Amino acid sequence: MTTTVSALPDGVLSESLSTDAGYFLQAGRLLERGESEWQSYEVWDTPRFGRLFRLDGCFMTSERDEFYYHENIIHVPGLAHAGPRRALIIGGGDGGSAEELLKYPGMEKVVIAELDAKVIDIARRYFDAVHHGALDDPRVDIRIGDGMKYVHEDGPAARDRYDLIVLDLTDPVGPAEALYAEDFFRACRALLTTGGALSLHIGTPVFQPERVRALVERLRQVFACVRPYFLYIPLYGSLWGLATASDSLDPLGLDEAEVDRRLAARGIARLQHLNAAVYRAQFAFPNHLRALLA
């Protein structure tokens, strides 16, 4: 039997996941498109994900599935921490990570170091369902500028230290590439409090296995305890990797009962994805991931 593969029809949005594979969905209605100083941007209203945000043709976030990414990049290290009070987000201009951090009752300050002011503007106008007002919370300090400069210069100069640092970034290409380098990880480590942790996304092991392996190895050169974990993220079209890195904090130190206890004690309720069983299960690797990350 012969199968004919045709070009994608008009009215779809697509993104390459590798040189020979990709992902697409029905576009719906274009709400805004333009060019900032740093990148191109698009906002769509789609049948599957509702309002959806893209940068340089890559899917960033949507109002219907943002919780897969934001709950896991924040609460896996956040629940393992004894009680986070200060957090730094590099990137994260959609406000989704900040919104999850503000669920911690002891959280006093969240700094968002976002390169592109246009991302903040877009989030405020279109994505309240992602940030739920977090961008205007008095505990949130938005710094527009280079995250590299903030970590290397502004942060240490101000003697700031953080319980959690979240690299909520685009893929490690273009302006974001230097933020995945070993030197930058070391600079982030210097800003962590005792018991603090870094979290970030590391890509898809299905379509970018060498990138995932390289990032985990890079983190292991800097931190004593590196824990990658994996979940399927619908908007990204694949199994996706996240990681926490620390010199002392280990998410695997929490069993299900302790995760449940901390969720209750901290009043973190109405999560759409993460629960105690999922928290633990994401660290259970099939054999192909064990081999990749050995």
Side-chain angles (χ1 to χ4, degrees):
M1 182 175 67
T2 301
T3 300
T4 300
V5 179
S6 60
L8 291 174
D10 292 338
V12 301
L13 300 172
S14 65
E15 179 180 345
S16 295
L17 295 173
S18 68
T19 56
D20 59 359
Y23 172 66
F24 74 92
L25 55 89
Q26 190 68 36
R29 182 167 62 100
L30 178 64
L31 301 178
E32 187 170 334
R33 170 187 283 154
E35 297 274 345
S36 74
E37 179 184 356
W38 300 101
Q39 54 208 335
S40 64
Y41 62 87
E42 304 162 56
V43 182
W44 293 84
D45 190 5
T46 67
R48 175 65 59 182
F49 293 111
R51 288 184 176 179
L52 179 153
F53 185 41
R54 303 214 308 169
L55 289 173
D56 289 337
C58 296
F59 298 114
M60 292 290 108
T61 194
S62 81
E63 60 185 3
R64 291 186 189 157
D65 93 320
E66 57 83 21
F67 60 87
Y68 289 86
Y69 173 87
H70 289 126
E71 288 183 7
N72 283 282
I73 201 170
I74 299 302
H75 296 305
V76 169
L79 289 169
H81 194 279
R85 296 184 302 109
R86 295 171 58 87
L88 169 64
I89 304 168
I90 305 296
D94 59 37
S97 289
E99 192 261 340
E100 296 297 336
L101 285 166
L102 293 177
K103 293 178 179 178
Y104 288 85
M107 189 61 66
E108 299 169 358
K109 185 175 182 178
V110 176
V111 175
I112 300 176
E114 168 60 57
L115 176 67
D116 195 341
K118 192 64 182 180
V119 175
I120 301 287
D121 171 60
I122 289 288
R124 283 195 168 118
R125 289 191 288 118
Y126 291 106
F127 291 99
D128 182 73
V130 173
H131 61 75
H132 299 279
L135 292 173
D136 297 306
D137 189 286
R139 292 168 290 176
V140 174
D141 180 7
I142 298 173
R143 310 281 185 91
I144 300 300
D146 186 354
M148 174 77 74
K149 180 177 182 294
Y150 181 84
V151 167
H152 280 290
E153 299 176 19
D154 300 343
R159 308 184 72 85
D160 285 340
R161 294 294 182 270
Y162 300 96
D163 301 309
L164 299 174
I165 297 178
V166 183
L167 304 186
D168 189 352
L169 300 165
T170 56
D171 289 346
V173 293
E177 184 175 7
L179 304 181
Y180 291 88
E182 185 177 322
D183 285 348
F184 187 70
F185 293 158
R186 291 190 186 280
C188 288
R189 178 176 177 266
L191 293 184
L192 288 170
T193 58
T194 301
L198 175 78
S199 65
L200 70 163
H201 85 89
I202 56 176
T204 165
V206 180
F207 299 104
Q208 303 158 356
E210 292 309 315
R211 176 185 293 178
V212 171
R213 189 208 312 269
L215 286 173
V216 170
E217 290 178 351
R218 211 169 292 164
L219 288 165
R220 287 171 174 163
Q221 293 300 310
V222 178
F223 294 94
C225 181
V226 177
R227 294 294 187 192
Y229 51 107
F230 296 88
L231 69 152
Y232 178 77
I233 299 181
L235 184 63
Y236 299 167
S238 181
L239 184 69
W240 210 263
L242 305 175
T244 66
S246 174
D247 283 338
S248 56
L249 180 148
D250 186 356
L252 282 182
L254 277 61
D255 59 20
E256 286 189 30
E258 182 60 17
V259 174
D260 273 333
R261 190 194 70 78
R262 294 190 182 195
L263 284 167
R266 298 173 185 186
I268 300 174
R270 297 185 301 277
L271 297 180
Q272 298 182 74
H273 185 271
L274 193 70
N275 57 42
V278 169
Y279 185 102
R280 292 287 303 181
Q282 291 176 152
F283 293 101
F285 296 168
N287 291 338
H288 69 94
L289 290 182
R290 289 183 178 182
L292 178 67
L293 301 172

